Amino acid sequence: MVSAKKRILLIATGGTIACKRSDGGLTPVITSHELLSYVPAAKSFCVVHTLQLMNIDSTNMQAEHWIAIAAAVEKNYAKYDGFVITHGTDTMAYTAAALSYLIRNAAKPVIITGAQKPIDMDVTDARTNLLDSLRIASDDRAYGVNIVFDGKLIAGTRGKKERTHSYNAFASINFPYLASVQDDRCIFYIDDKAGLAGDTVFSHELDEKVTL
Ligand code: ASP
């Protein structure tokens, strides 16, 4: 049986993955459409539409941006099988945690990814991370808000950036990796989507009067 290609929405928010060199250092300027042009292999397994929501360094990510990302997923939820959000690495884990609570019980995958090097560099992890993310977002076993980085699928509430330069930047804290991507194969270690029950619930507010 030939299954139809999955429909994925790529939502770009900025970060190093979308940066170009400028006089002021690296600046996020590469658009969602351009990002997609670096992973032509994705065409073989999914149809991707793009949305440029913002183009910022993730150190400037605020609660209002998390709400805007969740709203973009909600607005397009019925139209797509999965979502890939490109994001800076510095606050990716915080965004993943916030989205895990803003988008609860999601039966569709909402994958957050980024890179240590811009996608237009000759040597970069960006193309692999983006292609891996599209692959996971197109897999029937994937669901919920997760991070994909360096070939690993990490639960959105468990990710932590532990390394500044290494491609292996993110760890899963006190929880196993959910899956890995090896070449063109997704290998799931936790395959529990069948246990998911109830509707997807979106929240539209966050209380910003919280500090650590
Ligand atoms: N400062 C960048 C950001 O978080 C770092 C990165 O993307 O790796 O947007």
Side-chain angles (χ1 to χ4, degrees):
M1 193 180 85
V2 180
S3 58
K5 284 183 190 173
K6 290 291 161 65
R7 290 170 59 83
I8 308 296
L9 182 63
L10 171 64
I11 302 173
T13 72
T16 293
I17 190 169
C19 277
K20 283 198 171 167
R21 289 190 189 286
S22 68
D23 290 344
L26 287 174
T27 316
V29 289
I30 298 174
T31 65
S32 54
H33 193 67
E34 287 174 274
L35 286 172
L36 184 61
S37 72
Y38 284 94
V39 288
K43 285 196 194 102
S44 68
F45 59 86
C46 62
V47 175
V48 186
H49 293 166
T50 62
L51 175 65
Q52 187 73 49
L53 203 55
M54 57 198 87
N55 218 346
I56 62 173
D57 189 291
S58 81
T59 51
N60 294 321
M61 196 60 69
Q62 305 286 329
E64 69 198 64
H65 297 116
W66 294 336
I67 287 169
I69 298 169
V73 173
E74 182 176 17
K75 189 170 168 219
N76 291 286
Y77 198 71
K79 283 189 252 164
Y80 293 93
D81 299 305
F83 300 83
V84 171
I85 299 161
T86 53
H87 194 288
T89 62
D90 286 336
T91 66
M92 185 185 294
Y94 301 105
T95 296
L99 292 182
S100 298
Y101 295 102
L102 288 169
I103 309 168
R104 296 185 304 287
N105 217 20
K108 298 182 180 183
V110 179
I111 305 299
I112 306 168
T113 197
Q116 295 285 42
K117 297 268 170 66
I119 204 161
D120 70 346
M121 285 192 169
D122 288 340
V123 178
T124 177
D125 53 338
R127 292 190 284 271
T128 305
N129 286 349
L130 184 53
L131 189 60
D132 286 353
S133 298
L134 292 167
R135 221 178 264 293
I136 289 275
S138 302
D139 194 295
D140 286 326
R141 294 166 291 181
Y143 70 94
V145 178
N146 300 140
I147 291 171
V148 165
F149 215 93
D150 194 38
K152 294 183 276 288
L153 181 66
I154 300 169
T157 49
R158 300 295 180 150
K160 184 177 181 212
K161 184 176 178 186
E162 290 202 322
R163 294 170 202 90
T164 314
H165 298 295
S166 163
Y167 287 171
N168 180 19
F170 285 84
S172 181
I173 305 302
N174 293 329
F175 202 70
Y177 294 113
L178 304 176
S180 65
V181 186
Q182 290 170 23
D183 300 319
D184 56 357
R185 288 179 59 223
C186 302
I187 299 162
F188 276 76
Y189 308 119
I190 298 189
D191 186 2
D192 61 353
K193 190 174 178 178
L196 198 67
D199 293 338
T200 305
V201 180
F202 289 88
S203 293
H204 309 107
E205 284 177 335
L206 285 168
D207 189 342
E208 292 186 45
K209 294 196 201 106
V210 177
T211 191
L212 185 63

